[in-house]
Amino acid sequence: MAVEVLKKIADYLVDAEIEKREVVKVTTAIKPDLTVEEAYQVQDLIVQRKLEEGHRVVGPKMGLTSKAKWDQMGVSEPIYGHVFDYMLIENGGALPFSDLLHPKVEAEIAFVIGEDIEGPGVTGAQVQAKTAYVLPALEIIDSRYENFNFTHADVIADNASTSRVVFGNSLKKPADFDLELVGAVLSVNGQVKELGAGAAVLGHPANAIAMLANMLARKGGKVEKGEIILSGAITSAILLHAGDFVSGKFDRLGEVMFTVGE
Ligand code: 0L1
Ligand code: MG
């Protein structure tokens, strides 16, 4: 019975995404006592459905990893979600607004994993040693919930609001950077909207990947070689509108940009 309810929740959220329809949060509409553990089981069912539909996982991602995000969303614990191949937009490309509900953009540093990283007890230094490259990224989040209104468990079940990602073109060796000092400036239509540095992400973006490895270890999982992983937003998220031109400039890592189409 319990598994049937979790499957119903997974379908409720994937159908909302496919049909571009905002829905009432799960803890109001279906299961008020949804636990965090059950929410991650819902996410696993979403991954399973997407794989069955022919999509590929690019990598897990970390979310809610900065104070700016905690203050913005009223949820103060990091979570993870999954990025799929159909979510990728090329650098400089267009994001059709009509594909999404109420998209917001965040500036993030992404890690290309060079060797499997298995918890528990993984540290940021170990992550750095096992990372092949880092690159700049813009994540477009698009909660399936009305007004981004959710609890901690709701947002986990909703695949951490994951929707689209634009990766930068330049791959850099992590050893060549103090990632906590890398500055990021997020602009929309030529106006600076948000800025910050890598240290906003749990003190150092590699700490977020270490936390991810340790969270996955609790259910026998690991961070895997070849995955490209978003470490979490450096800044608050900015609401997007059709016609916007978005640019994220990252010190020495490069620029990432896209336009929001109709
Ligand atoms: O990637 C993120 O930090 C998003 C996490 C989910 C919360 C939100 O929708 O802002
Ligand atoms: Mg994010």
Side-chain angles (χ1 to χ4, degrees):
M1 178 59 185
V3 176
E4 280 162 25
V5 174
L6 300 184
K7 177 87 175 50
K8 177 178 167 184
I9 297 170
D11 287 340
Y12 175 74
L13 292 165
V14 175
D15 291 349
E17 179 193 357
I18 292 171
E19 292 162 22
K20 297 161 199 158
R21 198 168 34 77
E22 291 176 87
V23 291
V24 173
K25 64 183 187 290
V26 169
T27 54
T28 298
I30 304 179
K31 196 172 191 301
D33 60 349
L34 183 74
T35 66
V36 165
E37 198 186 346
E38 288 169 334
Y40 277 118
Q41 287 169 17
V42 170
Q43 213 188 96
D44 288 344
L45 290 167
I46 289 175
V47 172
Q48 196 180 310
R49 176 168 160 184
K50 302 262 185 200
L51 293 176
E52 283 165 10
E53 287 173 355
H55 301 301
R56 187 178 60 79
V57 175
V58 173
K61 71 158 217 190
M62 281 298 273
L64 298 175
T65 48
S66 67
K67 185 163 183 316
K69 286 288 298 184
W70 296 342
D71 292 347
Q72 185 177 34
M73 303 315 300
V75 177
S76 58
E77 215 177 296
I79 60 176
Y80 65 82
H82 290 84
V83 174
F84 296 91
D85 52 356
Y86 72 88
M87 297 178 167
L88 302 182
I89 291 178
E90 72 175 321
N91 193 6
L95 166 76
F97 188 80
S98 56
D99 281 359
L100 306 177
L101 298 168
H102 38 208
K104 296 182 185 178
V105 63
E106 312 181 318
E108 310 209 7
I109 293 173
F111 288 62
V112 181
I113 305 303
E115 285 176 53
D116 287 1
I117 309 173
E118 206 162 347
V122 175
T123 64
Q126 288 168 338
V127 167
Q128 291 243 86
K130 293 186 174 183
T131 296
Y133 303 104
V134 289
L135 69 162
L138 294 175
E139 182 183 17
I140 295 104
I141 53 171
D142 194 32
S143 173
R144 268 52 68 171
Y145 299 126
E146 288 175 346
N147 304 318
F148 274 79
N149 177 9
F150 47 65
T151 66
H152 186 55
D154 284 310
V155 67
I156 291 166
D158 185 29
N159 192 25
S161 305
T162 312
S163 182
R164 297 289 184 274
V165 182
V166 188
F167 289 118
N169 300 337
S170 57
L171 297 171
K172 298 278 165 51
K173 295 274 182 198
D176 294 342
F177 290 85
D178 282 337
L179 287 178
E180 73 271 41
L181 297 182
V182 169
V185 176
L186 183 57
S187 304
V188 178
N189 302 325
Q191 282 195 317
V192 174
K193 296 287 185 187
E194 289 286 337
L195 51 97
V201 178
L202 302 180
H204 190 297
N207 292 340
I209 310 298
M211 181 180 273
L212 172 66
N214 295 328
M215 288 167 94
L216 292 175
R218 285 187 219 139
K219 56 174 198 181
K222 62 185 174 184
V223 166
E224 294 184 25
K225 179 180 174 178
E227 289 177 332
I228 310 174
I229 305 183
L230 296 169
S231 57
I234 291 173
T235 62
S236 297
I238 309 289
L239 189 64
L240 295 172
H241 303 92
D244 282 345
F245 171 72
V246 183
S247 151
K249 288 184 183 160
F250 295 73
D251 187 29
R252 294 172 58 226
L253 285 181
E255 184 172 6
V256 189
M257 61 193 108
F258 65 94
T259 47
V260 185
E262 293 300 320

